[in-house]
Amino acid sequence: MSRADMMRAAAVVAVVLAAVVAVAWQFVEPAPPHQVVIATGSASGAYHAVAQHYAEHFKEAGLELVVRETAGSLENYRLLGTPDSGVDVAIVQGGTAPAEKEKRRELVALASLYLEPVWVFYRGEPGLERPGQLAGKRIAVGAEGSGVRALALELLAAGGATGEKSGTTLVNMGGDKAVEALREGSVDAAVFVMGPTAHFLAELLATPGVQLMNFEQAHSYARRFRYLSPVTLHRGALDLARDLPEREVQLVAPAAVLVARKDVHPAVVALLTEAAVQTHRGGDLLSEPGTFPNSLLTELPVNEQARYYLTHGPDFLRRVLPFWLAALIHRFVVLIIPLFMVLLPLLRLTPPVYRWSIRSRIYRWYARLRVIDERLRGSLDAEQVRKDLLLLEQLEHEIGGVKVPLSYMDEFYDLRLHVGYIRNRLEERLTTLPDSPRVTAA
């Protein structure tokens, strides 16, 4: 193939590939952000501590996870629903998702992380087994904007402990303040939602006059509120030495859920799910190893990529490559596959296209030769014969300057023989014309 042929073939391939790249580029995802913001809760809460573990995982992958302190789950949902808040993901308490479909539509769940029992402590004698038995008492139900408050109000209302005729006083107080108020007696009961490792649970159980409510209707509550699960806190689970609790206790528990905006980058979804698996797969006092994280106990649709990870684990690229390289390949796979699918046929088409280019050139030379041959069959004057001889000279010069592959030399030499044949006929015709001396094209 001549250099000109190679240049033309390369130009065609380049144009086709450029067109494919231009189309495929529209579907290439942007690079993952270097910084992701996660909303948690108070700095002393479990969500904040969990997010710090996630941040370490992000740091190892070369990204920054900024942990933002908030008032709790309700504020977290509000921040996720506000595009300019900067929050991409949040840890929230099950049962606190917004009721409005428009707000839910922009959110997805990534995983349920672990169970957080509802702990109802009250002052008095043992024996209370239903939230409705707290009617008429002063109850600390959690701080404003917290998921604890939202869930406490729902459970108390379902049990009949609230309402105009109940005489119940709801106190917007949670955490350490609610613990202190219960110990001092300024409230009669307090509702907490947290994991069994919280520091003050055993202390409250050991406090004289303070009891933990046994949810006798745990299974019924779980049926009514699908985000709840009935769980059993076994005797001595919180403190073996002090035998706390002193009996088996039935509780209900929502799950802590990792929630994200629907438009969060797929690479961030993968990294968050990976961090959740590494942090929570060991189990705890309420769940066996491997139970969490999972795609159950969520009020929102689960992101499909996160669901796949929870079911099958990381994909092949993430298992063998660093995060940044796996993310880069995932981004451009939508570009690489079309290029490969186009380039392969182009390579297979190159030989026939090349053969066509060679033959088409030979056919063009034959077309010019046929025009001269057709004129020979008519009546020609000496001037036209001389012109045709010059055309043949140019044609021979053009043919002689072209390099033809060995596989086409038979056609090439046939053409040159035919050119010589037509030239001889023209010279013979020139000698027969009157007053026309023999002229041979130089």
Side-chain angles (χ1 to χ4, degrees):
M1 182 184 291
S2 68
R3 186 172 182 178
D5 290 332
M6 292 177 62
M7 293 297 292
R8 279 193 292 269
V12 171
V13 172
V15 169
V16 173
L17 292 181
V20 173
V21 169
V23 173
W25 187 259
Q26 308 302 316
F27 302 95
V28 174
E29 296 170 347
H34 294 292
Q35 186 182 88
V36 180
V37 179
I38 182 170
T40 58
S42 67
S44 61
Y47 293 172
H48 200 273
V50 166
Q52 294 292 352
H53 285 290
Y54 294 177
E56 290 298 320
H57 189 76
F58 268 64
K59 185 177 181 180
E60 292 174 2
L63 274 65
E64 181 185 9
L65 183 65
V66 178
V67 181
R68 182 179 295 185
E69 182 181 354
T70 67
S73 297
L74 297 186
E75 183 181 359
N76 292 353
Y77 272 119
R78 182 183 63 78
L79 292 171
L80 285 173
T82 306
D84 59 356
S85 69
V87 172
D88 308 290
V89 63
I91 303 176
V92 297
Q93 175 190 299
T96 59
E100 299 87 345
K101 291 183 178 179
E102 294 75 15
K103 293 181 179 180
R104 286 174 174 250
R105 194 175 294 122
E106 300 303 317
L107 304 174
V108 290
L110 303 187
S112 298
L113 306 177
Y114 54 89
L115 291 175
E116 298 182 291
V118 178
W119 310 84
V120 181
F121 287 94
Y122 62 92
R123 298 186 63 84
E125 296 298 321
L128 298 188
E129 296 181 326
R130 301 191 310 277
Q133 294 173 313
L134 295 176
K137 298 184 181 297
R138 298 165 298 171
I139 308 173
V141 293
E144 285 281 358
S146 68
V148 178
R149 186 177 186 278
L151 179 55
L153 295 180
E154 195 163 42
L155 296 184
L156 290 172
T162 57
E164 294 182 1
K165 298 181 180 180
S166 66
T168 303
T169 302
L170 302 178
V171 181
N172 296 327
M173 181 189 300
D176 292 335
K177 292 182 179 179
V179 171
E180 190 61 31
L182 187 63
R183 282 175 171 166
E184 293 175 353
S186 57
V187 296
D188 304 309
V191 181
F192 306 94
V193 180
M194 59 189 61
T197 57
H199 65 281
F200 58 77
L201 291 177
E203 299 308 318
L204 278 177
L205 281 172
T207 301
V210 175
Q211 314 296 332
L212 173 62
M213 178 180 288
N214 176 56
F215 267 78
E216 188 181 50
Q217 300 172 311
H219 288 273
S220 297
Y221 271 91
R223 290 286 184 178
R224 176 73 65 87
F225 305 102
R226 291 294 180 174
Y227 56 85
L228 294 176
S229 298
V231 295
T232 300
L233 183 67
H234 296 289
R235 178 175 177 173
L238 299 183
D239 193 320
L240 287 170
R242 292 186 289 177
D243 194 24
L244 299 174
E246 298 177 348
R247 58 187 173 88
E248 254 187 19
V249 180
Q250 297 297 314
L251 302 171
V252 291
V257 182
L258 191 59
V259 176
R261 291 180 54 83
K262 201 171 186 177
D263 58 359
V264 70
H265 196 284
V268 173
V269 170
L271 197 57
L272 283 166
T273 311
E274 187 174 85
V277 169
Q278 292 192 8
T279 303
H280 307 292
R281 63 186 172 187
D284 55 26
L285 289 176
L286 302 176
S287 61
E288 295 294 331
T291 304
F292 288 94
N294 61 48
S295 58
L296 308 175
L297 303 176
T298 67
E299 302 165 89
L300 299 171
V302 179
N303 176 281
E304 286 304 319
Q305 185 179 4
R307 187 193 300 275
Y308 180 89
Y309 191 104
L310 293 172
T311 305
H312 304 286
D315 60 26
F316 173 76
L317 291 178
R318 187 63 184 101
R319 286 196 296 268
V320 300
L321 297 175
F323 169 79
W324 67 268
L325 185 54
L328 183 66
I329 294 176
H330 278 302
R331 284 183 62 209
F332 288 102
V333 69
V334 71
L335 186 62
I336 294 170
I337 291 178
L339 281 177
F340 179 77
M341 296 301 292
V342 171
L343 188 58
L344 186 61
L346 280 178
L347 293 176
R348 295 179 63 183
L349 283 173
T350 299
V353 169
Y354 176 60
R355 289 194 296 268
W356 173 83
S357 68
I358 295 296
R359 284 202 172 96
S360 65
R361 183 175 298 178
I362 293 174
Y363 294 156
R364 287 197 300 271
W365 288 327
Y366 267 112
R368 291 160 62 183
L369 194 60
R370 185 175 61 181
V371 171
I372 298 173
D373 184 38
E374 288 176 350
R375 280 201 290 265
L376 267 171
R377 297 173 187 175
S379 57
L380 292 175
D381 56 21
E383 185 63 27
Q384 184 61 52
V385 171
R386 294 188 182 95
K387 288 181 179 179
D388 286 343
L389 285 169
L390 288 175
L391 289 175
L392 283 181
E393 181 185 5
Q394 295 172 1
L395 184 59
E396 283 188 308
H397 180 74
E398 185 177 332
I399 294 171
V402 174
K403 293 181 180 180
V404 177
L406 292 176
S407 57
Y408 295 96
M409 289 304 292
D410 55 345
E411 298 180 41
F412 183 70
Y413 282 120
D414 284 345
L415 174 62
R416 298 189 71 169
L417 287 173
H418 293 151
V419 171
Y421 168 72
I422 296 298
R423 184 179 65 247
N424 291 336
R425 288 183 59 193
L426 285 172
E427 291 176 347
E428 289 175 0
R429 174 65 65 88
L430 190 61
T431 59
T432 63
L433 294 175
D435 302 324
S436 298
R438 183 179 177 85
V439 177
T440 303

